[in-house]
Amino acid sequence: GVQEYRRQQREDAQAQRQSDQGARTADRIASRYGVSVDQVWATYEGCGGNWQCVRDYYRGQAAERGRGPH
């Protein structure tokens, strides 16, 4: 109904406001860890929209790689 529609609009507006910041953050993480921005966004979704979780995830990945046999 109408309320559902309004809620959706509000969420969209919120997403728009955050998108610039989010895009920059995703970009930084992607280039730091050598992954694609798409991968970063997928991880972000998996993390429920939590950048700290995304950073921890990639930091863990990088550590794993660093420890592996060369």
Side-chain angles (χ1 to χ4, degrees), residues 9-66:
Q9 273 194 317
R10 208 164 45 239
E11 283 172 2
D12 286 352
Q14 212 172 1
Q16 288 283 289
R17 265 203 308 280
Q18 292 167 351
S19 69
D20 261 13
Q21 179 65 53
R24 276 197 297 276
T25 304
D27 216 47
R28 238 187 342 263
I29 292 172
S31 60
R32 172 180 289 166
Y33 295 105
V35 295
S36 75
V37 173
D38 283 347
Q39 275 177 295
V40 174
W41 280 117
T43 307
Y44 177 77
E45 308 254 312
C47 277
N50 179 341
W51 284 117
Q52 191 53 56
C53 162
V54 176
R55 287 193 190 92
D56 290 345
Y57 172 81
Y58 283 110
R59 205 173 288 132
Q61 293 269 315
E64 295 284 307
R65 272 203 306 273

